[in-house]
Amino acid sequence: MNFILDNIFVVAIAVISGGALLWPALAPRGKRATPLQATQMINRGKSLVLDVRTSDEFAAGHLRDAKNIPLADLSNRIGELEKSKSRTVIVVCQNGARADKAVRQLQAAGFEDAHALEGGQAAWVAAGLPVTK
């Protein structure tokens, strides 16, 4: 106990850094789909691929038939997706972080079956799956 009291700042730094390391694992995430699962959802039909990357990133290469709405514009343009509420939505970004935010926005707007592509466009390309420009 004396050690903790004598070294309170060191103990505090250790606790805070440990919490910072655990935060990403404990942060709430939406549903996720691996590239294989996303491919299966796309092949079944009745799915929408929503790419939330910037226009420049989208132009460099994207999944076939993907709709591009940058994450920064999603809250203003979510009405464009209203007719797709009953469909499975697969959200794609570059590495997966922006897609999680977009999935939470979509779920708040009433989209029940929204999934973030785990690993994003980078994982899709790494798996050797096709992209279009």
Side-chain angles (χ1 to χ4, degrees):
M1 191 57 137
N2 285 337
F3 175 80
I4 294 174
L5 294 175
D6 292 342
N7 299 294
I8 191 73
F9 293 113
V10 174
V11 171
I13 289 172
V15 169
I16 291 170
S17 64
L21 289 172
L22 285 175
W23 181 256
L26 299 175
R29 297 187 314 193
K31 295 180 193 173
R32 290 186 157 205
T34 65
L36 175 63
Q37 292 168 330
T39 302
Q40 292 170 342
M41 288 181 222
I42 292 168
N43 288 341
R44 277 189 226 125
K46 295 186 179 180
S47 63
L48 167 70
V49 178
L50 176 64
D51 196 317
V52 294
R53 297 178 298 154
T54 64
S55 299
D56 293 336
E57 290 173 317
F58 184 77
H62 56 272
L63 278 68
R64 187 173 51 100
D65 298 328
K67 180 172 181 64
N68 180 234
I69 300 178
L71 181 61
D73 301 337
L74 184 60
S75 59
N76 296 331
R77 296 178 56 189
I78 206 159
E80 295 175 26
L81 306 172
E82 195 67 31
K83 61 186 174 200
S84 300
K85 273 192 175 180
S86 62
R87 298 169 70 185
T88 299
V89 180
I90 302 164
V91 183
V92 181
C93 69
Q94 192 60 37
N95 295 311
R98 288 179 279 182
D100 282 332
K101 292 178 186 175
V103 166
R104 286 194 299 273
Q105 284 185 15
L106 289 169
Q107 288 173 337
F111 290 81
E112 295 176 12
D113 199 19
H115 303 265
L117 179 62
E118 193 170 296
Q121 179 80 8
W124 185 268
V125 171
L129 296 167
V131 296
T132 59
K133 292 187 179 190

